[in-house]
C-alpha cells in the first residue's frame, strides 16, 4: 500500500529550531486500512512487519507501528527480496526490531524535501511553471556520488600504471559501462538510457 503517514501540507510540519521536530498525519486514503490492521492486531499473538528492505520500507513499518499504538514487543520486522515460500519462511525465522537508523535516514530525507520544497516551490510556480517541485534532493546527491566514483576510478587506474592522459577516458568508460549494467541511476533522474555519465553530470549542472 505504501506510506500511511506524511507531513501535513502546512507551515511548521518540520521545526528546525525544536531539534527538527516533525508532525505527521495519517493520509485520508490510509485511514481505513490502518483501522483494519489495528483491529486485527488486537487479537494477534504476533505482528509481522514485512515492508520493503530499504529506508522507505523501514519507515513504513515504523509509521504503521506508531499509528496503531500497539505493544512493540508483539511486532517482528522481517525482510525478503523475493516473494517465494522459501524466502518468506526464511525471513520469518530471522525477525528483528525496526532499524531506527534507516527510519531516521528516511525522516531526514523527507524533512529536507519539505524544508526546501515548501519554501522554494511557490517561487518556481510563479517564475517558471505551476506544479514544479523544488523538494527533491536525489539529483544533486546523485551528482556527488558520481563525481566521487569518478575520482575513485581514477585512483585505481593510476595505481595500475596507466598514462595520465588516459586516466580520465578510461574512468569515464568504466562508469559508462557500470551505468548501462545497473539500475543505480534510476529512471526518475535519467529518462534517456543512451546518455553518458558526462552528459548526465553536465545536465545536472545546467539544471
Amino acid at each position: 500500500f505504501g506510506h500511511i503517514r506524511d507531513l501535513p501540507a502546512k507551515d511548521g510540519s518540520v521545526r528546525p529550531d525544536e531539534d527538527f521536530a516533525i508532525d505527521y498525519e495519517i493520509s485520508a486514503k490510509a485511514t481505513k486500512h490502518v483501522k483494519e490492521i489495528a483491529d486485527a492486531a488486537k487479537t494477534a499473538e504476533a505482528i509481522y512487519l514485512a515492508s520493503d528492505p530499504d529506508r522507505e520500507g523501514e519507515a513504513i513499518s515504523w509509521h504503521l507501528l506508531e499509528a496503531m499504538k500497539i505493544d512493540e514487543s508483539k511486532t517482528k520486522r522481517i525482510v525478503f527480496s523475493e516473494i517465494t515460500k522459501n524466502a518468506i519462511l526464511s525471513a520469518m525465522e530471522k525477525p528483528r526490531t525496526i532499524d531506527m537508523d534507516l527510519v531516521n535516514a528516511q525522516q531526514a530525507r523527507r524533512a529536507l524535501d519539505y524544508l526546501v520544497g515548501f519554501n522554494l516551490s511557490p517561487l518556481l510556480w510563479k517564475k517558471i511553471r505551476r506544479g514544479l517541485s523544488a523538494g527533491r534532493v536525489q539529483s544533486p546527491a546523485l551528482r556527488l556520488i558520481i563525481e566521487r566514483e569518478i575520482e575513485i576510478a581514477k585512483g585505481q587506474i593510476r595505481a595500475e600504471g596507466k598514462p595520465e592522459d588516459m586516466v580520465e577516458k578510461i574512468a569515464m568508460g568504466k562508469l559508462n559501462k557500470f551505468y548501462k549494467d545497473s539500475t543505480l541511476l534510476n529512471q526518475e533522474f535519467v529518462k534517456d538510457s543512451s546518455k553518458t555519465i558526462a552528459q548526465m553530470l553536465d545536465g545536472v549542472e545546467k539544471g
Side-chain angles (χ1 to χ4, degrees):
F1 180 76
H3 288 281
I4 62 165
R5 298 201 306 178
D6 200 1
L7 306 177
K10 63 179 182 180
D11 193 14
S13 293
V14 179
R15 300 182 295 282
D17 56 344
E18 296 178 28
D19 197 24
F20 287 88
I22 300 176
D23 292 331
Y24 290 106
E25 65 179 7
I26 299 175
S27 65
K29 66 178 182 178
T31 302
K32 176 183 176 182
H33 300 286
V34 172
K35 184 179 185 306
E36 290 175 347
I37 296 172
D39 288 343
K42 292 177 182 177
T43 57
E45 293 182 6
I47 301 164
Y48 287 88
L49 302 169
S51 47
D52 289 347
D54 57 11
R55 68 183 183 189
E56 298 295 328
E58 205 73 16
I60 289 171
S61 286
W62 177 75
H63 279 296
L64 187 58
L65 186 62
E66 291 285 303
M68 292 192 301
K69 301 185 186 306
I70 58 175
D71 183 357
E72 189 173 351
S73 64
K74 291 179 62 177
T75 65
K76 301 178 186 293
R77 174 74 170 116
I78 61 173
V79 295
F80 45 87
S81 56
E82 59 183 56
I83 305 178
T84 63
K85 180 179 179 180
N86 288 339
I88 295 172
L89 289 177
S90 177
M92 293 182 72
E93 291 174 356
K94 297 176 289 187
R96 60 172 173 79
T97 58
I98 290 177
D99 186 338
M100 288 307 300
D101 286 339
L102 284 176
V103 173
N104 289 332
Q106 191 277 338
Q107 289 194 97
R109 195 276 302 168
R110 185 67 187 91
L112 182 58
D113 280 355
Y114 172 88
L115 292 171
V116 174
F118 195 87
N119 292 291
L120 292 186
S121 290
L123 180 62
L124 293 181
W125 301 344
K126 181 179 179 180
K127 298 295 185 180
I128 302 177
R129 186 178 75 248
R130 187 164 188 81
L132 293 177
S133 173
R136 309 307 293 173
V137 299
Q138 283 89 339
S139 293
L142 186 55
R143 177 192 173 91
L144 293 174
I145 292 171
I146 294 174
E147 288 178 335
R148 182 57 181 157
E149 288 298 325
I150 290 173
E151 292 306 311
I152 292 173
K154 286 180 179 179
Q156 293 171 341
I157 295 164
R158 289 190 179 101
E160 295 170 1
K162 301 295 184 182
E164 185 63 29
D165 59 353
M166 295 292 292
V167 169
E168 180 84 17
K169 182 177 180 180
I170 296 173
M172 298 302 284
K174 284 188 174 183
L175 285 174
N176 283 332
K177 184 178 185 303
F178 173 74
Y179 162 61
K180 291 177 181 179
D181 293 344
S182 73
T183 57
L184 175 62
L185 307 179
N186 63 64
Q187 61 182 0
E188 291 300 318
F189 174 49
V190 183
K191 303 296 184 182
D192 183 0
S193 61
S194 68
K195 288 183 178 179
T196 66
I197 296 290
Q199 288 171 329
M200 285 184 285
L201 287 175
D202 184 60
V204 172
E205 186 173 39
K206 291 179 179 177

Coordinates of all heavy atoms in Angstrom, one line a residue, residues 77-150:
R77 N 9.9 -7.5 12.8 CA 10.3 -6.9 11.5 C 11.0 -8.0 10.7 O 12.0 -8.5 11.1 CB 11.2 -5.7 11.7 CG 11.7 -5.1 10.4 CD 10.7 -4.4 9.6 NE 11.3 -3.6 8.5 CZ 11.0 -3.9 7.2 NH1 10.2 -4.8 6.8 NH2 11.6 -3.1 6.3
I78 N 10.5 -8.3 9.5 CA 11.1 -9.2 8.6 C 11.3 -8.6 7.2 O 10.6 -7.7 6.8 CB 10.3 -10.5 8.5 CG1 8.9 -10.3 7.8 CG2 10.2 -11.2 9.8 CD1 8.2 -11.5 7.5
V79 N 12.4 -9.0 6.5 CA 12.6 -8.5 5.2 C 13.0 -9.7 4.3 O 13.6 -10.7 4.7 CB 13.8 -7.5 5.2 CG1 13.4 -6.3 6.0 CG2 15.1 -8.1 5.7
F80 N 12.6 -9.6 3.0 CA 12.9 -10.5 2.0 C 12.9 -9.8 0.6 O 12.3 -8.8 0.5 CB 12.0 -11.7 2.0 CG 10.5 -11.3 2.1 CD1 9.8 -11.0 0.9 CD2 9.9 -11.3 3.3 CE1 8.4 -10.7 1.1 CE2 8.6 -10.9 3.4 CZ 7.8 -10.6 2.3
S81 N 13.7 -10.4 -0.3 CA 13.8 -9.7 -1.6 C 13.1 -10.4 -2.7 O 13.2 -10.0 -3.9 CB 15.3 -9.6 -2.0 OG 16.0 -10.8 -1.9
E82 N 12.4 -11.5 -2.4 CA 11.6 -12.2 -3.4 C 10.4 -12.8 -2.8 O 10.5 -13.2 -1.6 CB 12.5 -13.3 -4.1 CG 13.0 -14.4 -3.1 CD 13.8 -15.4 -3.8 OE1 14.8 -15.0 -4.5 OE2 13.5 -16.6 -3.7
I83 N 9.3 -12.8 -3.5 CA 8.0 -13.3 -2.9 C 7.9 -14.8 -3.3 O 7.2 -15.2 -4.2 CB 6.8 -12.5 -3.4 CG1 7.1 -11.0 -3.1 CG2 5.6 -13.0 -2.7 CD1 6.0 -10.1 -3.6
T84 N 8.6 -15.6 -2.5 CA 8.6 -17.0 -2.7 C 8.4 -17.6 -1.3 O 8.7 -17.0 -0.3 CB 9.8 -17.6 -3.3 OG1 10.9 -17.4 -2.4 CG2 10.1 -17.0 -4.7
K85 N 7.9 -18.9 -1.3 CA 7.6 -19.5 0.0 C 8.9 -19.7 0.8 O 8.9 -19.3 2.0 CB 7.0 -20.9 -0.2 CG 6.7 -21.7 1.1 CD 6.1 -23.1 0.8 CE 5.9 -23.8 2.1 NZ 5.3 -25.2 1.8
N86 N 10.0 -20.1 0.2 CA 11.2 -20.3 0.9 C 11.8 -19.0 1.5 O 12.3 -18.9 2.6 CB 12.3 -20.9 0.0 CG 12.0 -22.4 -0.3 OD1 11.2 -23.0 0.5 ND2 12.5 -22.9 -1.4
A87 N 11.7 -17.9 0.7 CA 12.2 -16.6 1.1 C 11.4 -16.1 2.3 O 12.0 -15.5 3.3 CB 12.2 -15.6 0.0
I88 N 10.1 -16.2 2.2 CA 9.3 -15.7 3.3 C 9.5 -16.5 4.6 O 9.6 -15.9 5.7 CB 7.8 -15.7 2.9 CG1 7.6 -14.7 1.7 CG2 6.9 -15.3 4.1 CD1 6.2 -14.7 1.1
L89 N 9.5 -17.8 4.5 CA 9.7 -18.7 5.6 C 11.1 -18.4 6.3 O 11.2 -18.4 7.5 CB 9.6 -20.1 5.3 CG 8.2 -20.6 4.9 CD1 8.2 -22.1 4.5 CD2 7.2 -20.4 6.1
S90 N 12.1 -18.2 5.4 CA 13.4 -17.9 5.9 C 13.4 -16.6 6.7 O 14.1 -16.5 7.7 CB 14.4 -17.9 4.8 OG 15.7 -17.5 5.2
A91 N 12.7 -15.6 6.1 CA 12.7 -14.3 6.8 C 12.0 -14.4 8.1 O 12.4 -13.7 9.1 CB 12.0 -13.3 5.9
M92 N 10.9 -15.2 8.2 CA 10.2 -15.3 9.5 C 11.0 -16.0 10.5 O 10.7 -15.9 11.7 CB 8.9 -16.1 9.2 CG 7.9 -15.3 8.3 SD 6.3 -16.1 8.0 CE 5.6 -16.0 9.7
E93 N 12.0 -16.7 10.1 CA 12.9 -17.4 11.1 C 13.9 -16.4 11.7 O 14.6 -16.8 12.6 CB 13.5 -18.6 10.5 CG 12.6 -19.7 10.2 CD 13.3 -20.9 9.4 OE1 14.5 -20.7 9.1 OE2 12.6 -21.9 9.1
K94 N 14.1 -15.3 11.0 CA 15.1 -14.3 11.4 C 14.5 -12.9 11.6 O 14.9 -11.9 11.0 CB 16.2 -14.3 10.4 CG 16.9 -15.6 10.2 CD 18.0 -15.5 9.1 CE 17.3 -15.4 7.8 NZ 18.3 -15.5 6.6
P95 N 13.5 -12.8 12.5 CA 12.9 -11.5 12.7 C 13.8 -10.6 13.5 O 14.8 -11.0 14.2 CB 11.7 -11.8 13.6 CG 12.0 -13.0 14.3 CD 12.9 -13.8 13.4
R96 N 13.6 -9.3 13.4 CA 14.4 -8.3 14.1 C 13.5 -7.2 14.5 O 12.3 -7.1 14.2 CB 15.6 -7.8 13.2 CG 15.1 -7.1 11.9 CD 16.3 -6.5 11.2 NE 16.0 -5.9 9.9 CZ 15.5 -4.8 9.7 NH1 15.0 -4.0 10.7 NH2 15.3 -4.3 8.4
T97 N 14.1 -6.2 15.2 CA 13.4 -5.0 15.6 C 13.5 -4.0 14.4 O 14.4 -4.1 13.5 CB 13.9 -4.4 16.9 OG1 15.3 -4.1 16.7 CG2 13.7 -5.3 18.0
I98 N 12.7 -2.9 14.5 CA 12.8 -1.9 13.5 C 14.2 -1.2 13.6 O 14.6 -0.8 14.7 CB 11.7 -0.9 13.6 CG1 10.3 -1.6 13.2 CG2 11.9 0.4 12.8 CD1 9.1 -0.7 13.4
D99 N 14.8 -1.0 12.4 CA 16.1 -0.3 12.4 C 15.9 1.2 12.4 O 15.6 1.8 11.3 CB 16.8 -0.7 11.1 CG 18.3 -0.2 11.1 OD1 18.6 0.8 11.7 OD2 19.1 -0.8 10.3
M100 N 16.1 1.9 13.5 CA 15.8 3.3 13.6 C 16.8 4.1 12.8 O 16.5 5.3 12.5 CB 15.7 3.7 15.1 CG 14.5 3.2 15.8 SD 12.9 3.7 15.0 CE 13.0 5.5 14.9
D101 N 18.0 3.6 12.5 CA 18.9 4.4 11.7 C 18.3 4.5 10.3 O 18.4 5.6 9.7 CB 20.2 3.6 11.6 CG 21.0 3.7 12.9 OD1 20.8 4.7 13.7 OD2 21.9 2.9 13.1
L102 N 17.7 3.5 9.8 CA 17.1 3.6 8.5 C 15.9 4.5 8.5 O 15.6 5.3 7.6 CB 16.6 2.2 8.0 CG 17.7 1.3 7.4 CD1 17.1 -0.1 7.0 CD2 18.4 1.9 6.2
V103 N 15.1 4.4 9.6 CA 13.9 5.2 9.7 C 14.3 6.7 9.8 O 13.7 7.6 9.1 CB 13.1 4.9 11.0 CG1 12.0 5.9 11.3 CG2 12.5 3.5 10.9
N104 N 15.3 7.0 10.6 CA 15.8 8.4 10.7 C 16.4 8.9 9.4 O 16.3 10.1 9.1 CB 16.8 8.5 11.9 CG 16.1 8.3 13.2 OD1 14.9 8.6 13.4 ND2 16.9 7.8 14.2
A105 N 17.0 8.0 8.7 CA 17.5 8.4 7.3 C 16.4 8.9 6.4 O 16.5 9.9 5.7 CB 18.3 7.3 6.7
Q106 N 15.3 8.1 6.5 CA 14.2 8.5 5.6 C 13.5 9.7 6.2 O 13.1 10.6 5.4 CB 13.1 7.3 5.7 CG 12.0 7.4 4.6 CD 10.9 8.3 5.1 OE1 10.7 8.5 6.3 NE2 10.1 8.8 4.1
Q107 N 13.4 9.9 7.5 CA 12.8 11.1 8.0 C 13.7 12.3 7.6 O 13.1 13.4 7.3 CB 12.7 11.0 9.5 CG 11.7 10.0 10.0 CD 11.4 10.2 11.5 OE1 10.4 10.9 11.9 NE2 12.2 9.6 12.3
A108 N 15.0 12.2 7.7 CA 15.9 13.3 7.3 C 15.7 13.7 5.8 O 15.6 14.9 5.5 CB 17.3 12.9 7.5
R109 N 15.6 12.7 5.0 CA 15.3 12.9 3.5 C 14.0 13.6 3.3 O 13.9 14.6 2.6 CB 15.4 11.6 2.8 CG 15.5 11.7 1.3 CD 14.2 12.0 0.5 NE 13.2 10.9 0.8 CZ 11.9 11.0 0.5 NH1 11.4 12.1 -0.1 NH2 11.1 10.0 0.8
R110 N 13.0 13.2 4.0 CA 11.6 13.8 3.9 C 11.6 15.2 4.5 O 11.0 16.1 3.9 CB 10.6 12.9 4.6 CG 9.2 13.4 4.4 CD 8.7 13.2 3.0 NE 7.4 13.8 2.7 CZ 7.2 15.1 2.3 NH1 8.3 15.9 2.1 NH2 6.0 15.5 2.1
A111 N 12.3 15.4 5.6 CA 12.3 16.7 6.2 C 13.0 17.7 5.3 O 12.6 18.9 5.1 CB 13.0 16.7 7.6
L112 N 14.1 17.3 4.7 CA 14.9 18.2 3.8 C 14.0 18.5 2.5 O 14.0 19.7 2.1 CB 16.2 17.5 3.3 CG 17.1 18.3 2.4 CD1 17.4 19.7 3.1 CD2 18.4 17.6 2.1
D113 N 13.3 17.5 2.0 CA 12.4 17.8 0.9 C 11.4 18.8 1.3 O 11.1 19.7 0.5 CB 11.7 16.5 0.5 CG 12.5 15.5 -0.4 OD1 13.6 15.9 -0.7 OD2 12.0 14.4 -0.7
Y114 N 10.9 18.7 2.5 CA 9.8 19.6 2.9 C 10.4 21.0 3.1 O 9.8 22.0 2.6 CB 9.2 19.1 4.2 CG 8.3 20.1 4.9 CD1 6.9 20.1 4.5 CD2 8.7 21.0 5.8 CE1 6.1 21.0 5.2 CE2 7.9 21.9 6.4 CZ 6.5 21.9 6.1 OH 5.7 22.8 6.7
L115 N 11.5 21.1 3.8 CA 12.1 22.4 4.1 C 12.5 23.2 2.9 O 12.3 24.4 2.8 CB 13.3 22.3 5.1 CG 12.9 21.8 6.5 CD1 14.2 21.5 7.3 CD2 12.1 22.8 7.2
V116 N 13.0 22.5 1.9 CA 13.4 23.1 0.7 C 12.2 23.4 -0.2 O 12.0 24.5 -0.7 CB 14.4 22.2 -0.1 CG1 14.7 22.8 -1.5 CG2 15.7 22.1 0.7
G117 N 11.4 22.3 -0.4 CA 10.3 22.5 -1.3 C 9.2 23.4 -0.9 O 8.6 24.1 -1.7
F118 N 8.9 23.4 0.4 CA 7.8 24.2 0.9 C 8.1 25.7 0.7 O 7.2 26.5 0.4 CB 7.6 24.0 2.4 CG 6.2 24.5 2.9 CD1 5.1 23.7 2.8 CD2 6.1 25.8 3.5 CE1 3.9 24.2 3.3 CE2 4.9 26.2 4.0 CZ 3.8 25.4 3.9
N119 N 9.4 26.1 0.8 CA 9.7 27.5 0.6 C 10.0 27.9 -0.9 O 9.7 29.0 -1.3 CB 10.9 27.8 1.4 CG 10.6 27.8 2.9 OD1 9.9 28.6 3.5 ND2 11.2 26.8 3.6
L120 N 10.6 26.9 -1.6 CA 11.0 27.3 -3.0 C 10.0 26.9 -4.1 O 10.0 27.6 -5.1 CB 12.3 26.6 -3.3 CG 13.6 27.1 -2.5 CD1 14.8 26.4 -3.1 CD2 13.7 28.6 -2.7
S121 N 9.2 25.9 -3.8 CA 8.2 25.5 -4.9 C 7.3 26.6 -5.3 O 7.1 26.8 -6.5 CB 7.4 24.3 -4.4 OG 8.3 23.1 -4.4
P122 N 6.7 27.4 -4.4 CA 5.9 28.5 -4.8 C 6.6 29.5 -5.7 O 6.0 30.1 -6.6 CB 5.4 29.2 -3.4 CG 5.5 28.1 -2.5 CD 6.7 27.2 -2.9
L123 N 7.9 29.7 -5.4 CA 8.7 30.6 -6.3 C 8.8 30.0 -7.7 O 8.7 30.7 -8.7 CB 10.1 30.8 -5.7 CG 11.0 31.7 -6.5 CD1 10.4 33.1 -6.5 CD2 12.4 31.8 -5.8
L124 N 9.0 28.7 -7.8 CA 9.0 28.1 -9.1 C 7.7 28.2 -9.8 O 7.7 28.4 -11.0 CB 9.4 26.6 -9.0 CG 10.8 26.2 -8.5 CD1 11.0 24.7 -8.4 CD2 11.9 26.8 -9.4
W125 N 6.6 28.1 -9.1 CA 5.3 28.2 -9.7 C 5.1 29.6 -10.3 O 4.5 29.8 -11.4 CB 4.2 27.9 -8.7 CG 4.2 26.6 -8.0 CD1 4.9 25.5 -8.5 CD2 3.6 26.2 -6.8 NE1 4.8 24.4 -7.6 CE2 3.9 24.8 -6.6 CE3 2.8 26.8 -5.9 CZ2 3.5 24.1 -5.5 CZ3 2.3 26.1 -4.8 CH2 2.6 24.8 -4.6
K126 N 5.6 30.6 -9.6 CA 5.5 32.0 -10.0 C 6.4 32.3 -11.2 O 6.0 33.0 -12.1 CB 5.7 32.9 -8.8 CG 5.6 34.4 -9.2 CD 5.8 35.2 -7.9 CE 5.7 36.7 -8.3 NZ 5.9 37.6 -7.1
K127 N 7.6 31.8 -11.1 CA 8.6 32.3 -12.1 C 8.8 31.3 -13.3 O 9.1 31.8 -14.4 CB 10.0 32.4 -11.4 CG 10.1 33.4 -10.3 CD 9.9 34.8 -10.8 CE 10.1 35.8 -9.7 NZ 9.9 37.2 -10.2
I128 N 8.4 30.0 -13.1 CA 8.6 29.1 -14.2 C 7.3 28.4 -14.7 O 6.8 28.8 -15.7 CB 9.7 28.0 -13.8 CG1 11.0 28.7 -13.4 CG2 9.9 27.0 -15.0 CD1 12.1 27.7 -13.0
R129 N 6.9 27.5 -13.9 CA 5.6 26.8 -14.2 C 5.0 26.2 -13.0 O 5.6 25.6 -12.2 CB 5.9 25.7 -15.3 CG 4.6 25.1 -15.8 CD 4.9 24.0 -16.8 NE 5.4 22.8 -16.2 CZ 6.6 22.3 -16.4 NH1 7.5 23.0 -17.1 NH2 7.0 21.2 -15.8
R130 N 3.7 26.4 -12.9 CA 3.0 25.8 -11.7 C 3.0 24.3 -11.7 O 2.9 23.7 -12.8 CB 1.5 26.3 -11.7 CG 0.8 25.9 -10.4 CD -0.5 26.7 -10.3 NE -1.1 26.4 -8.9 CZ -0.7 27.0 -7.8 NH1 0.2 27.9 -7.9 NH2 -1.3 26.7 -6.7
G131 N 3.2 23.8 -10.6 CA 3.3 22.3 -10.4 C 4.7 21.8 -10.3 O 4.8 20.6 -9.9
L132 N 5.7 22.6 -10.5 CA 7.1 22.2 -10.3 C 7.4 22.0 -8.8 O 6.8 22.7 -8.0 CB 8.1 23.1 -10.9 CG 8.0 23.3 -12.5 CD1 9.0 24.3 -12.9 CD2 8.4 21.9 -13.1
S133 N 8.3 21.1 -8.5 CA 8.6 20.9 -7.1 C 10.1 21.1 -6.9 O 10.9 20.6 -7.7 CB 8.2 19.5 -6.6 OG 8.7 19.2 -5.3
A134 N 10.5 21.8 -5.9 CA 11.9 22.0 -5.5 C 12.3 21.2 -4.4 O 13.4 21.3 -3.8 CB 12.1 23.5 -5.2
G135 N 11.5 20.2 -4.0 CA 11.8 19.5 -2.8 C 12.6 18.2 -2.9 O 13.0 17.6 -2.0
R136 N 12.9 17.8 -4.2 CA 13.6 16.6 -4.3 C 15.1 16.8 -4.3 O 15.6 17.8 -4.8 CB 13.3 15.9 -5.7 CG 11.8 15.7 -5.9 CD 11.1 15.0 -4.8 NE 11.5 13.6 -4.7 CZ 11.2 12.8 -3.7 NH1 10.4 13.3 -2.7 NH2 11.6 11.6 -3.7
V137 N 15.8 15.9 -3.6 CA 17.3 16.1 -3.4 C 18.1 15.0 -4.1 O 19.3 15.0 -4.0 CB 17.6 16.2 -1.9 CG1 16.9 17.3 -1.2 CG2 17.2 14.8 -1.2
Q138 N 17.4 14.1 -4.8 CA 18.1 12.9 -5.3 C 19.1 13.3 -6.4 O 20.2 12.8 -6.5 CB 17.2 11.9 -5.9 CG 16.5 11.0 -4.9 CD 15.2 11.7 -4.4 OE1 15.0 12.9 -4.5 NE2 14.3 10.8 -3.8
S139 N 18.8 14.3 -7.3 CA 19.6 14.6 -8.4 C 21.0 15.2 -7.9 O 22.0 14.7 -8.3 CB 18.9 15.6 -9.3 OG 17.9 15.0 -10.0
P140 N 21.0 16.2 -7.1 CA 22.3 16.7 -6.6 C 23.1 15.7 -5.8 O 24.3 15.6 -5.8 CB 22.0 18.0 -5.8 CG 20.5 17.8 -5.4 CD 19.9 17.1 -6.6
A141 N 22.4 14.9 -5.0 CA 23.0 13.8 -4.2 C 23.7 12.8 -5.2 O 24.8 12.4 -5.0 CB 22.1 13.1 -3.3
L142 N 23.0 12.5 -6.2 CA 23.5 11.5 -7.2 C 24.7 12.1 -7.9 O 25.7 11.4 -8.2 CB 22.4 11.2 -8.2 CG 22.7 10.1 -9.2 CD1 23.2 8.8 -8.5 CD2 21.5 9.8 -10.1
R143 N 24.7 13.4 -8.2 CA 25.8 14.0 -8.8 C 27.1 13.9 -7.9 O 28.1 13.5 -8.4 CB 25.6 15.5 -9.1 CG 26.8 16.3 -9.7 CD 26.6 17.8 -9.6 NE 27.8 18.4 -10.0 CZ 28.2 18.7 -11.3 NH1 27.3 18.4 -12.3 NH2 29.3 19.3 -11.6
L144 N 26.9 14.1 -6.6 CA 28.0 14.0 -5.7 C 28.6 12.5 -5.7 O 29.8 12.3 -5.7 CB 27.6 14.4 -4.3 CG 27.3 15.9 -4.1 CD1 26.7 16.1 -2.7 CD2 28.5 16.7 -4.4
I145 N 27.7 11.6 -5.7 CA 28.1 10.2 -5.7 C 28.9 9.8 -7.0 O 29.9 9.2 -6.9 CB 26.8 9.3 -5.6 CG1 26.2 9.4 -4.3 CG2 27.2 7.8 -5.9 CD1 24.9 8.7 -4.1
I146 N 28.4 10.3 -8.2 CA 29.0 10.0 -9.4 C 30.4 10.7 -9.5 O 31.4 10.0 -9.9 CB 28.2 10.5 -10.6 CG1 26.9 9.7 -10.7 CG2 29.0 10.3 -11.9 CD1 25.9 10.2 -11.8
E147 N 30.5 11.9 -9.0 CA 31.8 12.6 -9.0 C 32.8 11.9 -8.1 O 34.0 11.7 -8.5 CB 31.6 14.0 -8.5 CG 30.9 14.9 -9.6 CD 30.7 16.4 -9.0 OE1 30.7 16.5 -7.8 OE2 30.6 17.3 -9.9
R148 N 32.3 11.4 -7.0 CA 33.2 10.6 -6.1 C 33.6 9.3 -6.7 O 34.8 8.9 -6.6 CB 32.5 10.4 -4.8 CG 33.3 9.6 -3.7 CD 34.6 10.4 -3.5 NE 35.5 9.7 -2.5 CZ 36.8 9.8 -2.4 NH1 37.4 10.7 -3.2 NH2 37.4 9.1 -1.5
E149 N 32.7 8.6 -7.4 CA 33.0 7.4 -8.1 C 34.1 7.6 -9.2 O 34.9 6.8 -9.4 CB 31.8 6.7 -8.6 CG 30.8 6.1 -7.6 CD 31.5 5.0 -6.8 OE1 32.3 4.3 -7.4 OE2 31.2 4.9 -5.6
I150 N 34.0 8.7 -9.9 CA 34.9 9.0 -10.9 C 36.3 9.2 -10.3 O 37.3 8.7 -10.8 CB 34.5 10.3 -11.7 CG1 33.3 10.1 -12.5 CG2 35.7 10.8 -12.5 CD1 32.7 11.3 -13.2

